[in-house]
Amino acid sequence: MNYAIIAAGEGSRLVQEGVSLPKPLVELCGEPMIGRLINIMLRCDATSVSIIVNEQMTQVREYLEGLDLPVPLNLVVKSTPSSMHSLWELSRVIPRGKFCLTTVDTIFREPDFAGYVKAFADDQTHDGMWAVTPFVDDEKPLWVDVDNDMNITAFRDDRWDGARYVSGGVYAMTDRAFVVLDQCIQQGVSRMRNFQRALVQAGFNLQAYSIDKIVDVDHAGDIATAQAFLTATGE
């Protein structure tokens, strides 16, 4: 499986709250967040890892350039206006075929992630598989509407009666999605959630895969929360 990580955000809220390290280098259970993700991906049969960082994150770039990985590491250094634009930059270096993308501050249990990736690797029906969770940890969550077979029918900004899942910030898809991504860029669309809506509108067959808990690290207090979450699961 090819993997990709978006680590191009500024982490401004962490800086304002007194965290001096760039977000990707904040440690959880003794590992920088980005290093933890890479190691999980390697244990989940990575054939390549593609990462984007912004131009101001010299510490993160130097950390990544110092790694000696057993698979190709495709590093993009560029500041972008949104995660969708970061994915567009990554689309130029991600090998063709299936890949799994996550943001650097998305924290999950390794066994949950491994099961999810295997499900998509084995899947022969869907164009993509989105990790969703009933655990709402985001300030502005993206709600995911599904049918009885967990096929995604819509992405919504607002909760509605009967809503069960929000996006977990982990996306598995094929390179066919890059056609829609290119169209979004050309049309001036912004934000990752609008790209996801465009995939549904284009008729892509997306399935939701439920993981009971995924957390984000957006604020200084989230670091301890994420650490406690992982410690409770034995990491």
Side-chain angles (χ1 to χ4, degrees), residues 1-4 45-50 94-101:
M1 178 68 69
N2 297 303
Y3 291 96
D45 299 322
T47 52
S48 72
V49 179
S50 301
I94 296 172
R96 301 303 90 174
K98 290 186 173 184
F99 70 96
C100 178
L101 167 76

Side-chain angles (χ1 to χ4, degrees), residues 6-50:
I6 293 176
E10 297 179 355
S12 56
R13 284 174 289 192
L14 290 180
V15 173
Q16 292 168 3
E17 295 168 8
V19 178
S20 58
L21 280 173
K23 183 190 286 190
L25 298 183
V26 170
E27 290 195 355
L28 296 177
C29 301
E31 284 184 295
M33 284 198 292
I34 196 163
R36 175 179 177 271
L37 276 177
I38 292 169
N39 287 330
I40 289 174
M41 290 169 176
L42 291 174
R43 290 190 290 268
C44 290
D45 299 322
T47 52
S48 72
V49 179
S50 301

Side-chain angles (χ1 to χ4, degrees), residues 75-96:
L75 179 60
V76 177
V77 180
K78 187 164 185 178
S79 300
T80 62
S82 75
S83 293
M84 188 194 79
H85 289 80
S86 293
L87 175 57
W88 187 67
E89 297 293 342
L90 284 171
S91 70
R92 305 178 184 190
V93 299
I94 296 172
R96 301 303 90 174

Side-chain angles (χ1 to χ4, degrees), residues 36-223:
R36 175 179 177 271
L37 276 177
I38 292 169
N39 287 330
I40 289 174
M41 290 169 176
L42 291 174
R43 290 190 290 268
C44 290
D45 299 322
T47 52
S48 72
V49 179
S50 301
I51 303 173
I52 182 169
V53 300
N54 67 44
E55 293 162 282
Q56 290 71 46
M57 285 187 176
T58 55
Q59 286 178 272
V60 182
R61 176 179 56 78
E62 290 169 358
Y63 170 83
L64 293 171
E65 289 176 342
L67 296 177
D68 182 16
L69 302 185
V71 300
L73 172 61
N74 306 309
L75 179 60
V76 177
V77 180
K78 187 164 185 178
S79 300
T80 62
S82 75
S83 293
M84 188 194 79
H85 289 80
S86 293
L87 175 57
W88 187 67
E89 297 293 342
L90 284 171
S91 70
R92 305 178 184 190
V93 299
I94 296 172
R96 301 303 90 174
K98 290 186 173 184
F99 70 96
C100 178
L101 167 76
T102 181
T103 51
V104 73
D105 57 352
T106 300
I107 310 302
F108 42 70
R109 302 181 185 97
E110 183 171 341
D112 292 337
F113 181 76
Y116 159 68
V117 170
K118 185 178 186 305
F120 183 60
D122 293 343
D123 185 273
Q124 302 298 320
T125 304
H126 297 90
D127 299 309
M129 189 174 288
W130 262 227
V132 300
T133 179
F135 180 77
V136 182
D137 183 54
D138 201 298
E139 295 172 349
K140 295 181 180 179
L142 178 63
W143 292 90
V144 184
D145 200 355
V146 298
D147 64 18
N148 292 333
D149 296 317
M150 293 294 283
N151 294 308
I152 297 174
T153 57
F155 294 98
R156 306 182 188 276
D157 291 327
D158 300 317
R159 188 169 189 167
W160 67 97
D161 289 342
R164 293 183 290 163
Y165 301 110
V166 297
S167 173
V170 188
Y171 325 94
M173 65 192 94
T174 74
D175 59 86
R176 287 186 59 243
F178 294 154
V179 174
V180 176
L181 181 60
D182 288 342
Q183 292 171 350
C184 287
I185 294 293
Q186 293 167 8
Q187 294 167 4
V189 173
S190 63
R191 305 190 72 188
M192 181 69 83
R193 60 183 57 194
N194 290 327
F195 163 61
Q196 295 173 67
R197 292 187 177 107
L199 288 174
V200 173
Q201 292 167 0
F204 275 60
N205 186 8
L206 307 180
Q207 187 174 52
Y209 182 100
S210 180
I211 294 175
D212 66 339
K213 189 173 183 180
I214 299 174
V215 301
D216 292 327
V217 176
D218 292 320
H219 296 279
D222 296 336
I223 299 171

